Amino acid sequence: MKKYFISGAMLAGLMSLAACSNDEGVVADNNRAEQQFTITLASSGDRATRAAADRTLESEAAGQSIEKVTLVVRSQDDGADKNKVVYIHTLDNWNDTATDYDTNGHGKKLTFTIPKADKLGAGSYVVTAVGYNEGNYNLKLPAKGDVLDKNITATTQAGAEAKEVFAGEQEFTVKDGKIDGTDGSKAIQSVDVTLHRQVAGAYGYFTSIPAKIGETDVASIRMVSRSKNTVLTFGSFNRSFTTTDANVMYMVNGSVPAGKTAKFLNGDEANVLFSAKITDWFPGGDKNNDGVYDKKDTNWTKHYSGSYLKGSVFASNFIVPFSATEGKSTLELQLLDATGNVLYAWPVKLDASNDQIGKTGETASANLSDPITAMGFAETADVFSLFRNHIYSIGIHKQGTSTTDPETPVPGTDQPTDLSKIQNVVIRVNDNWEAMHHMSIDE
């Protein structure tokens, strides 16, 4: 998972870099500037996933492709100016400007200095940072001088799927003109803030897909859900989560349901989480006429740029998190004919050993003054939420840019689910994200 740390040194640097021509900010040069913030992106993902263009979810690897980081600093002193925006700065071209910060290239950082004209006075503050690509969301950012009562939000573009976006925040204080840190031996104190992925992810990795149900050809496979949201709220962050799955939060930061576009097999309304056309992977259909799409079909072709086992089909999406509907199963995996009729469906559930089962999820409030709201019921194997920064999978595909031999699976790396056996399908959440979940489909 990608991480961002904003230290006092870095924010100052970010701010100065953006406008060295008009004193709005310059790149820090370790010149003992008193107010700096450092944004650090930590990742255990493959460097190749950090392209300038939006990445697609081709595996559970911890990738990112953001180009902009916006910093918003608000006063936290009690009174009429509490939550007043005292500084805001947008860093453009993050991928090309930030530098690698470890020997393996699994992270980037950049330091900015607050210009003298905007130097923060004594008091308490909070810095919120959002990492994104412009155009992916309608991002509701404040202006300097605004007094906020709501968290920053992002709305998916009309008709578009969710894209990756990162955010986080951290409180800090200023005393005698300097960031008031804990290590008095350091000339420059840092405010560290970690930016986490704000969306969920889901993918399906399949093989031995039935070519027909009865006498009707199978044309596509899809996952449908009870809900689907369109708005992200950047609040109630998991500041304790860094590089492991300790202190996992079960947080839904999505709201405003999308219109229903599909149905469950029983006729209940649904949304499509992801889908795949069989002909994208097997042009011309079941080549050897053995009744399944698998590695024996010589017409198999790779539809995405990643590495996939021969005879497999892959589908995925980033998802705005949503809460379970009490008493109603959350997901269903479906096979469809060419006209979109559901031919066969499997209920999808979390594996019985999954840590999410039994937890009570929480929802992030849009209002700064509101507490987190508990959902009021525990997660079950069938009725479960899709939480922020959790990736849910059927099958296992760990590295989208690996060199996996398409003929031979690598143990523990590639494991598409065999649908000819009508078995349980496991959903997992990888620990490069915030948690790993297992789902299964029932016969």
Side-chain angles (χ1 to χ4, degrees), residues 29-97:
D29 59 2
N30 294 322
N31 61 354
R32 301 180 68 84
E34 295 175 345
Q35 295 181 0
Q36 291 185 336
F37 290 77
T38 300
I39 296 177
T40 304
L41 170 65
S43 168
S44 58
D46 191 337
R47 293 186 65 177
T49 65
R50 296 202 302 273
D54 283 324
R55 78 181 186 111
T56 55
L57 182 62
E58 294 184 6
S59 73
E60 59 193 44
Q64 64 86 24
S65 63
I66 65 167
E67 279 297 297
K68 292 177 178 287
V69 175
T70 293
L71 305 170
V72 178
V73 180
R74 309 189 316 267
S75 171
Q76 292 297 283
D77 292 331
D78 290 333
D81 287 342
K82 184 169 185 178
N83 285 317
K84 182 178 181 178
V85 176
V86 296
Y87 196 93
I88 184 167
H89 174 82
T90 296
L91 164 68
D92 296 311
N93 204 19
W94 164 268
N95 277 328
D96 291 338
T97 307

Side-chain angles (χ1 to χ4, degrees), residues 69-358:
V69 175
T70 293
L71 305 170
V72 178
V73 180
R74 309 189 316 267
S75 171
Q76 292 297 283
D77 292 331
D78 290 333
D81 287 342
K82 184 169 185 178
N83 285 317
K84 182 178 181 178
V85 176
V86 296
Y87 196 93
I88 184 167
H89 174 82
T90 296
L91 164 68
D92 296 311
N93 204 19
W94 164 268
N95 277 328
D96 291 338
T97 307
T99 59
D100 293 342
Y101 75 86
D102 71 12
T103 55
N104 296 317
H106 292 319
K108 286 179 176 290
K109 68 178 180 180
L110 191 60
T111 299
F112 298 83
T113 300
I114 299 177
K116 293 180 180 179
D118 294 294
K119 187 174 179 180
L120 302 175
S124 299
Y125 300 90
V126 61
V127 56
T128 304
V130 181
Y132 58 99
N133 279 355
E134 196 165 27
N136 283 352
Y137 292 92
N138 294 321
L139 189 60
K140 191 173 183 180
L141 292 169
K144 184 178 178 180
D146 288 349
V147 177
L148 305 184
D149 61 359
K150 295 185 181 299
N151 285 304
I152 295 171
T153 60
T155 303
T156 55
Q157 298 287 343
E161 298 292 343
K163 299 286 187 178
E164 274 194 313
V165 61
F166 298 80
E169 68 182 22
Q170 184 62 55
E171 296 96 349
F172 65 98
T173 59
V174 173
K175 184 177 181 181
D176 297 328
K178 296 183 179 181
I179 299 294
D180 188 16
T182 58
D183 188 349
S185 67
K186 293 183 178 180
I188 300 175
Q189 299 292 338
S190 294
V191 178
D192 293 335
V193 62
T194 302
L195 275 65
H196 293 298
R197 186 182 288 103
Q198 296 298 296
V199 291
Y203 73 78
Y205 190 31
F206 313 104
T207 191
S208 299
I209 300 169
K212 292 179 181 290
I213 299 296
E215 297 300 317
T216 305
D217 291 336
V218 172
S220 63
I221 184 169
R222 73 182 183 188
M223 179 87 82
V224 298
S225 62
R226 190 71 55 179
S227 302
K228 190 174 186 178
N229 282 330
T230 61
V231 176
L232 289 162
T233 294
F234 300 144
S236 303
F237 299 106
N238 189 357
R239 298 173 188 171
S240 62
F241 171 62
T242 54
T243 60
T244 70
D245 60 354
N247 301 310
V248 170
M249 285 182 70
Y250 295 90
M251 177 64 62
V252 168
N253 62 328
S255 62
V256 186
K260 303 297 184 183
T261 57
K263 290 184 181 295
F264 284 84
L265 183 61
N266 68 0
D268 288 355
E269 290 189 324
N271 296 99
V272 178
L273 286 194
F274 60 71
S275 64
K277 293 181 179 179
I278 300 299
T279 53
D280 285 341
W281 298 83
F282 295 89
D286 182 16
K287 184 72 172 180
N288 63 353
N289 294 311
D290 67 350
V292 293
Y293 295 106
D294 63 11
K295 64 182 180 181
K296 296 177 183 177
D297 292 299
T298 58
N299 59 328
W300 178 81
T301 185
K302 188 171 61 173
H303 183 57
Y304 294 123
S305 60
S307 178
Y308 302 93
L309 289 179
K310 184 177 179 180
S312 64
V313 169
F314 184 87
S316 65
N317 261 328
F318 293 109
I319 298 159
V320 175
F322 60 85
S323 302
T325 301
E326 190 171 11
K328 299 286 187 178
S329 59
T330 299
L331 300 178
E332 186 173 85
L333 183 68
Q334 302 176 337
L335 300 179
L336 290 80
D337 66 15
T339 62
N341 292 317
V342 179
L343 301 175
Y344 196 91
W346 295 269
V348 177
K349 63 182 183 181
L350 294 174
D351 185 77
S353 63
N354 197 286
D355 289 342
Q356 183 168 325
I357 295 175

